[in-house]
Amino acid sequence: MEYFLSALLLCLQPINLILIIGVVTLGIIFGAIPGLSATLGIALLLPITFGLSTETSFIILLAMWIGGVSGTFISAVLIGIPGSSSAIATCFDGFPMTQQGKAGKALAIGIVASFIGTLGSVIIATFLSPIIAEFALHLGPWEYFSLCLCAITLIASLSKGIIFKGIMAAGIGLLIGSIGMDPINGATRFTFGNPYFGAGISTVAQMLGMFAMCQIIRDAAKGQAKMPEIDAGEIKGWGISFKDIFTNIKTIIISFLSGLWIGFLPGMGSGISNMVAYGYAKSSSKDPDSFGKGNPAGVWASETANNASIGGALIPMMALGIPGDGITAMLISGLTIHGLQAGPLFMSEKPELTMLIFVCVIVSAIITFAIQMIFKRWFPYILKIPYHYLYSVILVICYIGGFGISNTMFNVYVMLGLCLLAIFMNVAGLPLSPFVLAFILSGKLERYFRQGISYSHGSYSDFFTRPISLILLLLAVFSVVWPLISNHLKKSKIAKAVSVGESEDINDD
């Protein structure tokens, strides 16, 4: 309780409160505009944190996260284009409600659902993370290696398209992450005689190049740097009543729990949780045919679930040092910049900073709710900001941030190189999520593996004889093998159906 009150007082200091309000507003704008996102916003803010204290750095990074994730539903409701993948399901019923003249109600549902999902999940994470961290302190390098491997294989197997592409992207991430000094004996690897590579590839340069610059180039190349005309109708009043909440309370609770659980699983996040919750809401509804035609339950399900995944993603990040999604991977990078490492030891050694992270998310969620409710009638104007102004500013920030990492042009070149790599991966259909997670976890994966072998005097047996490690390794293997088996079963089923149909045609003849 002492740490909670001190963290709350720190967040409510005038300068910090002004920062939260300002960055949350910026995050809402980034989330609302398709092509921009909370991920991009955090990537742009990371270089700024170099000259700030650890507390201030995390206040602005977390405020950007909450504002950005909560703001994605705005464009989904008003123009039918999601601000990010976390609001895809919101489009299905949010935009039809706008077309029916119910934009105010759809926006109000999105605002309240986002608030419920964020606040509830973070409160649960606040109490659950220390318990998981206490348990994690009893684990050895064998379990941590298996956990990191399981996280990488899980997100690779969930990637869109062929699973081999997800594994290939993860492999490239591990290769890029191994550049620099060996974590055990300090030998340099893949530096090609360049001393700048000795420190490895900067995470900030990687984020700026692969997310910020790549996004701008892709949108400009595809001609997507324009917004359609917005007709939001008349937006006024609060939009909903308590009756609307109680009517959809079952959908809210189920969506909240599914979002929390999916957010907890490494690599899944809000992009999957909103679709899963929407599918459940539709299948359990008494009127499933109304979904996709402006059913408010669809918006409740999607927005509650994608924001509940925030607290779910915080749990493995804080308790285990494993990023739950791409944004928490960036937050772990923010800790690394300030010489800290997320995980169970961080929670026990830095309880005041740990509590600050949870409290800042709660305060940001409340401020986001207030800002969105007060200014929702002006949301259509956010979507009219010209892209050529935004993109010019973002590019300048990218170059300044790349140069500021080491005050040399080296990281600018690295940023440009990784931007080209991201473009190549996009063209080749290789997903970025496995790459980012593997890149972030590469150092831990190698360190825990070699520590486990060293502690076992050169034996690999402990990775398979320790129960938790074995379960995680089996889960990693299953996550890779099951999609292949599933595809084979589907093809066999289709082939069987086709053969049965052909034989029936022959009999008819």
Side-chain angles (χ1 to χ4, degrees), residues 14 29 39 50 100 143 148-149 164 185 201 239 246 254 288 307 328 336 340 343 386 402 418 430 432 460 474 483-484:
I29 294 173
T39 306
F50 288 157
Q100 297 166 13
E143 288 82 8
C148 291
L149 181 64
F164 293 115
N185 57 29
I201 300 297
F246 292 128
I254 298 299
N307 282 269
T328 47
T336 305
L340 302 171
L418 290 173
L430 300 177
L432 275 182
Y460 296 89
L474 290 175
L484 302 176

Side-chain angles (χ1 to χ4, degrees), residues 8-59:
L8 182 61
L9 290 174
L10 182 60
C11 286
L12 295 180
Q13 287 180 0
I15 183 64
N16 289 333
L17 193 59
I18 291 171
L19 279 173
I20 292 175
I21 294 173
V23 177
V24 158
T25 304
L26 184 62
I28 293 172
I29 294 173
F30 266 71
I33 299 176
L36 306 185
S37 64
T39 306
L40 173 60
I42 292 177
L44 295 174
L45 286 178
L46 275 176
I48 299 175
T49 64
F50 288 157
L52 301 177
S53 66
T54 305
E55 292 80 7
T56 304
S57 299
F58 268 82
I59 284 173

Side-chain angles (χ1 to χ4, degrees), residues 42 58 60 92 148 159 165 168 173 192 204 236-237 252 255-256 335 341 347 385 404 459 477 479-480 482 485 495:
I42 292 177
F58 268 82
I60 63 174
F92 300 158
C148 291
S159 302
K165 291 187 176 181
M168 187 183 298
F192 304 101
V204 177
K236 60 182 180 179
I252 293 172
S255 300
F256 174 83
L335 282 173
Q341 185 175 350
M347 295 194 69
I385 300 174
S459 173
V477 173
S479 65
V480 173
W482 173 246
I485 298 175

Side-chain angles (χ1 to χ4, degrees), residues 135-193:
F135 170 75
L137 287 172
H138 300 287
L139 302 179
W142 308 274
E143 288 82 8
Y144 277 112
F145 165 79
S146 301
L147 180 62
C148 291
L149 181 64
C150 182
I152 294 172
T153 55
L154 185 61
I155 191 174
S157 65
L158 291 170
S159 302
K160 295 180 180 179
I162 303 173
I163 184 176
F164 293 115
K165 291 187 176 181
I167 296 173
M168 187 183 298
I172 296 172
L174 290 174
L175 178 62
I176 300 295
S178 66
I179 295 174
M181 286 190 179
D182 184 297
I184 303 298
N185 57 29
T188 56
R189 303 174 302 192
F190 306 115
T191 61
F192 304 101

Side-chain angles (χ1 to χ4, degrees), residues 22 35 49 52 55 93 105-106 110-111 119 173 214-215 236 240 260 289 328 372 378 389 404 486 502:
T49 64
L52 301 177
E55 292 80 7
D93 288 284
K105 183 175 183 178
I111 294 169
L119 186 66
C214 179
Q215 185 71 51
K236 60 182 180 179
I240 61 171
L260 183 70
D289 293 335
T328 47
Q372 289 180 331
W378 287 284
Y389 293 141
S486 178
E502 290 176 350

